[in-house]
Amino acid sequence: MTTPESETNPKAEDLPPGTTPYYANMHKWIKRAVLVCLVALVIEGAFTLPFMAVYYGYPTLSLTEICSELLKVRYSDDTLECKVPYPPLGPPEGAEGKDTARDDWGIQPVPKYNRIGWRELVRIHEEREARQAAEQEAP
């Protein structure tokens, strides 16, 4: 028969390794809090990508085009493209464009590109395509 005292003070052999009876209640609540935080992070991550994709212009641009446009804006280089699928032993993302970025590099880098607004990548992409088409038409 269990008494309320035995439920609040479990025996040491009933506890997980490394937990003393004195801290058993605290460990139980820490485990619950960590589980809630992990579930919240998974839910947040699941909703972040779709909303960001729409913000940058998803129905008009594909995810690969959005990625490429972000690289071009970030590193000020119109030749950068996202590689899909990315090579397994390739360089880290953005490593090849670091030389062309106009940022102030240091312990805490300061970006020099403008903040990208609502669906602004669509406008940037269309302007770049128009500029490239005009260059191809002109001899």
Side-chain angles (χ1 to χ4, degrees):
M1 178 174 168
T2 61
T3 62
E5 182 178 312
S6 65
E7 289 178 7
T8 58
N9 297 328
K11 296 179 183 175
E13 57 267 1
D14 297 337
L15 298 173
T19 302
T20 61
Y22 183 77
Y23 291 110
N25 195 33
M26 179 186 70
H27 284 204
K28 175 180 70 174
W29 284 103
I30 288 175
K31 283 181 188 178
R32 289 177 182 175
V34 167
L35 184 63
V36 166
C37 290
L38 288 174
V39 168
L41 283 172
V42 167
I43 291 171
E44 176 195 7
F47 287 117
T48 299
L49 179 65
F51 288 127
M52 284 181 57
V54 169
Y55 180 83
Y56 288 132
Y58 172 66
T60 308
L61 300 175
S62 69
L63 292 177
T64 305
E65 289 173 328
I66 290 172
C67 175
S68 296
E69 290 300 322
L70 286 172
L71 280 177
K72 291 172 185 176
V73 169
R74 181 178 177 195
Y75 295 113
S76 305
D77 186 357
D78 289 347
T79 62
L80 291 177
E81 295 287 333
C82 283
K83 298 172 186 139
V84 177
Y86 199 80
L89 300 175
E93 182 269 322
E96 60 206 69
K98 186 176 177 183
D99 299 336
T100 60
R102 289 180 257 165
D103 301 342
D104 291 335
W105 294 99
I107 301 234
Q108 182 67 41
V110 178
K112 295 295 183 184
Y113 54 86
N114 294 328
R115 181 171 291 181
I116 297 171
W118 169 256
R119 300 186 62 79
E120 194 173 351
L121 284 183
V122 174
R123 181 185 55 79
I124 293 171
H125 180 71
E126 290 171 351
E127 288 174 359
R128 180 175 292 107
E129 284 183 340
R131 192 171 53 245
Q132 290 173 349
E135 288 174 0
Q136 288 178 355
E137 288 177 9

